[in-house]
Amino acid sequence: MKFLAVLLAAGMLAFLGAVICIIASVPLAASPARALPGGADNASVASGAAASPGPQRGLSALHGAGGSAGPPALPGAPAASAHPLPPGPLFSRFLCTPLAAACPSGAQQGDAAGAAPGEREELLLLQSTAEQLRQTALQQEARIRADQDTIRELTGKLGRCESGLPRGLQGAGPRRDTMADGSWDSPALILELEDAVRALRDRIDRLEQELPARVNLSAAPAPVSAVPAGLHSKMDQLEGQLLAQVLALEKERAALSHSGRRQRQEMEKELDVLQGRVAELEHGSSAYSPPDAFKISIPIRNNYMYARVRKALPELYAFTACMWLRSRSSGTGQGTPFSYSVPGQANEIVLLEAGHEPMELLINDKVAQLPLSLKDNGWHHICIAWTTRDGLWSAYQDGELQGSGENLAAWHPIKPHGILILGQEQDTLGGRFDATQAFVGDITQFNLWDHALTPAQVLGIANCTAPLLGNVLPWEDKLVEAFGGATKAAFDVCKGKAKA
C-alpha cells in the first residue's frame, strides 16, 4: 500500500508539471511582436496585423514555429530587406521547453492596448483559456490530495481489519507487484491503480460487514468455524478465572465465619474457666464435689434472687429439659422454675405456674397447659420434651408420662444466644423480674438435651438408676451462678429426697 501511495504521488507531480508548463507558455504566446527601436507608425502595425490573422498566429504560438511559413514581419520594416532580422522563435516544438524571450515592456503593453480588436479578443480568449486550465489544475490537485487521504484512510482501515482477524484471513486476496509494470505515467498503470483502489474499497466494505457478524454471535449466529478459536479459548479462560475467584471468596467467607465461631467458643470456654476459678477463690474449699452435687435455694419470693446459666444455647429444633424441684410456696402458685429469653422474644421457653392456674409451658408465646403438680412441698422429678415438628410435647413427673399434645409453636426453632434464668420469669432479655411469678424452693440437676428423651431414659433418671447429663447443658457447678441472695449448697438429690 505504501508503494501505491508513492506511485500516485509521482503521477500527480508529473501531471502538475505539465499543467504549469502550459500555463507559463500561454501569456508569452499571446504577446504581440516586439517593436524595433526607431518605431513604426500605426499603419505598419495594422498592416502587420492584417498580414497575419489572429487565430492562425495564436495556434502557431501554441504548436511551435514549424506550423507557419515563418515569423511575422516586424512593424515598420520593409517587406524585403537587404539585411533581414534573424528570426526570433519563442518556443520549440516541445511544449514544455520555452526558449529565451524577454518579458514585454511598458511600450509593448501600450502597443498591445492599441492593437486591433481581433488581437484583444484573441488575448482575452487565451487568458480565459489559461485561467480555465489553471482552475482545472487546481481541481485536479485537490482531487489527487483527496484520493491520497482516501487511500491512507482505506489503508489504515485495512490494517486494523487485518490485525483483528485470524491469520488465515490476513493473507487472503491477491497481491500484485507493480514495480515492473511499465512507466509511472502510463495509462495502463493508472487504470490498474484505479482497479486496485476499487478492489481495496470493496474488500474493506465486505470486511466491515462481516466482522460484526463474527463478533456478535447473539445478534446473528455464524458457523462455529467462522469464529476465531482464540476468542473461544480466551472467553473460557476468563470464565474459569471468574469462577475461581468466586469460589475463593466463598471459601474465605466460610473460613472467616468458622474461625469467628471457633474463637467465640474458645473465649466462652476461657471465661467459664476463669469464672469457675473466681468462684472457687470466693467460696474457698467447698464441702461438695462438683459437677453435680449441689442445689440452688431461693428462700423467699422476690424479684432479685435467681441463678443464671453462663452457657449460651444453640439453635434447637427439639429439646428435653429435666430437673428436680421442691416447691416451698404457700399455695399461691409455684412461680417460674426456669425461663429462656432471646433478643426480640422474652418468652422463648418458660415453665410457669401463676396463682391458681395450672402449670403452663410457653414456647414463642404459645401456651400449653401441663398436668403437673408440685404442691406437696416434696422433691419431684420434672421432664418437658418438645419438638418443632407438628409442635409435639410431652410432660413427665417422677418418671411417668402425665400428658402430651401437639401444635405448640409448630415448626418454630428455638433461637440461639439467649439467657437462661432459674427461679425468675423474664419480661425483657435477662431482666424485669416480677415477684409474683418468682419460684420459691430448691432446684437441682437441671439438664438440657437437643432431642426428645425416651420414656425409659426419663424413668432411669427419675429412679436414680441411670443418671444422664444433658448434651447441650449439663448440671455443672461452673455453669451456674447464684445472684441476689440465692444460695448454692452441696446436695445429692438421690440421697436427700429420702431425708426431706
Side-chain angles (χ1 to χ4, degrees):
M1 296 307 298
K2 294 182 178 179
F3 174 72
L4 290 177
V6 171
L7 195 59
L8 286 177
M12 179 191 70
L13 291 176
F15 180 75
L16 285 177
V19 172
I20 292 172
C21 290
I22 294 173
I23 295 173
S25 65
V26 169
L28 294 176
S31 301
R34 285 181 82 172
L36 293 175
D41 55 3
N42 292 333
S44 63
V45 175
S47 63
S52 299
Q56 294 178 1
R57 193 161 61 89
L59 292 176
S60 65
L62 286 176
H63 295 285
S68 61
L74 292 176
S81 175
H83 300 282
L85 291 177
L90 296 178
F91 299 95
S92 68
R93 291 183 178 273
F94 297 98
L95 182 63
C96 295
T97 310
L99 299 179
C103 294
S105 61
Q108 292 174 345
Q109 292 177 0
D111 294 339
E119 291 287 339
R120 287 196 299 272
E121 291 178 2
E122 179 185 0
L123 180 60
L124 294 176
L125 178 61
L126 293 177
Q127 288 178 352
S128 63
T129 303
E131 182 65 24
Q132 291 177 1
L133 290 175
R134 190 174 68 83
Q135 294 296 332
T136 303
L138 294 176
Q139 293 176 2
Q140 291 293 334
E141 181 181 4
R143 182 176 180 182
I144 290 174
R145 290 181 179 176
D147 291 342
Q148 287 181 339
D149 296 338
T150 303
I151 289 174
R152 283 195 293 270
E153 181 180 0
L154 294 176
T155 304
K157 288 184 179 180
L158 181 59
R160 289 194 296 271
C161 293
E162 289 182 348
S163 61
L165 291 176
R167 294 184 177 179
L169 296 176
Q170 292 180 4
R175 296 185 178 272
R176 300 182 59 184
D177 187 8
T178 57
M179 290 293 293
D181 292 346
S183 61
W184 292 86
D185 55 352
S186 63
L189 182 57
I190 295 175
L191 292 176
E192 183 178 355
L193 292 176
E194 292 178 353
D195 294 339
V197 171
R198 283 195 296 269
L200 286 175
R201 289 181 179 176
D202 295 339
R203 184 179 177 189
I204 290 173
D205 293 338
R206 185 172 64 255
L207 290 176
E208 289 180 347
Q209 293 175 0
E210 293 177 358
L211 188 58
R214 290 193 180 96
V215 177
N216 191 5
L217 298 179
S218 60
V224 179
S225 60
V227 180
L231 184 60
H232 278 302
S233 61
K234 188 66 175 179
M235 291 175 63
D236 294 339
Q237 183 180 1
L238 292 176
E239 289 179 358
Q241 293 177 359
L242 181 60
L243 182 59
Q245 291 180 358
V246 171
L247 293 177
L249 290 176
E250 291 291 339
K251 290 181 180 179
E252 184 178 358
R253 185 176 64 180
L256 290 175
S257 176
H258 180 69
S259 176
R261 190 182 303 109
R262 186 174 64 254
Q263 291 179 357
R264 185 171 61 251
Q265 293 176 355
E266 292 177 356
M267 291 178 63
E268 289 178 356
K269 290 180 180 179
E270 292 178 359
L271 288 175
D272 292 340
V273 172
L274 291 174
Q275 289 177 352
R277 182 61 179 165
V278 170
E280 290 178 2
L281 293 175
E282 288 178 349
H283 296 290
S285 60
S286 59
Y288 62 95
S289 59
D292 56 354
F294 71 96
K295 67 178 180 179
I296 297 295
S297 298
I298 301 176
I300 59 176
R301 190 183 301 274
N302 54 62
N303 62 351
Y304 51 86
M305 292 185 180
Y306 65 96
R308 177 174 176 174
V309 178
R310 297 191 183 117
K311 186 176 182 180
L313 301 184
E315 187 177 34
L316 299 173
Y317 296 93
F319 71 86
T320 300
C322 294
M323 69 210 78
W324 285 91
L325 298 177
R326 181 171 64 178
S327 174
R328 298 186 182 276
S329 175
S330 59
T332 57
Q334 307 305 313
T336 306
F338 77 94
S339 65
Y340 176 68
S341 65
V342 296
Q345 179 53 271
N347 297 326
E348 188 71 5
I349 306 176
V350 181
L351 182 63
L352 170 67
E353 182 179 334
H356 299 285
E357 298 293 331
M359 186 168 288
E360 296 176 341
L361 174 64
L362 282 74
I363 297 179
N364 192 34
D365 268 336
K366 307 300 186 297
V367 182
Q369 294 184 348
L370 309 181
L372 304 178
S373 177
L374 304 175
K375 296 179 180 180
D376 58 356
N377 296 331
W379 282 102
H380 295 279
H381 185 259
I382 302 297
C383 277
I384 307 297
W386 173 87
T387 178
T388 185
R389 183 175 181 179
D390 297 328
L392 299 176
W393 61 270
S394 301
Y396 297 86
Q397 183 170 342
D398 298 329
E400 300 293 332
L401 180 63
Q402 300 297 320
S404 62
E406 60 183 3
N407 293 327
L408 176 60
W411 311 108
H412 170 75
I414 302 301
K415 297 177 182 178
H417 309 302
I419 297 177
L420 181 60
I421 299 293
L422 302 179
Q424 296 284 353
E425 192 273 333
Q426 307 173 62
D427 287 337
T428 61
L429 182 65
R432 284 188 61 183
F433 303 140
D434 186 354
T436 62
Q437 297 176 342
F439 177 79
V440 181
D442 302 314
I443 304 173
T444 187
Q445 291 296 325
F446 184 92
N447 289 277
L448 185 66
W449 294 265
D450 60 0
H451 57 276
L453 297 181
T454 63
Q457 290 175 322
V458 174
L459 182 59
I461 298 172
N463 292 338
C464 296
T465 59
L468 185 64
L469 292 178
N471 65 341
V472 174
L473 180 63
W475 183 253
E476 296 180 357
D477 176 66
K478 64 180 181 180
L479 298 180
V480 181
E481 185 177 4
F483 292 92
T487 61
K488 183 190 291 186
F491 181 75
D492 187 346
V493 65
C494 290
K495 296 179 181 178
K497 68 176 183 177
K499 300 178 181 179

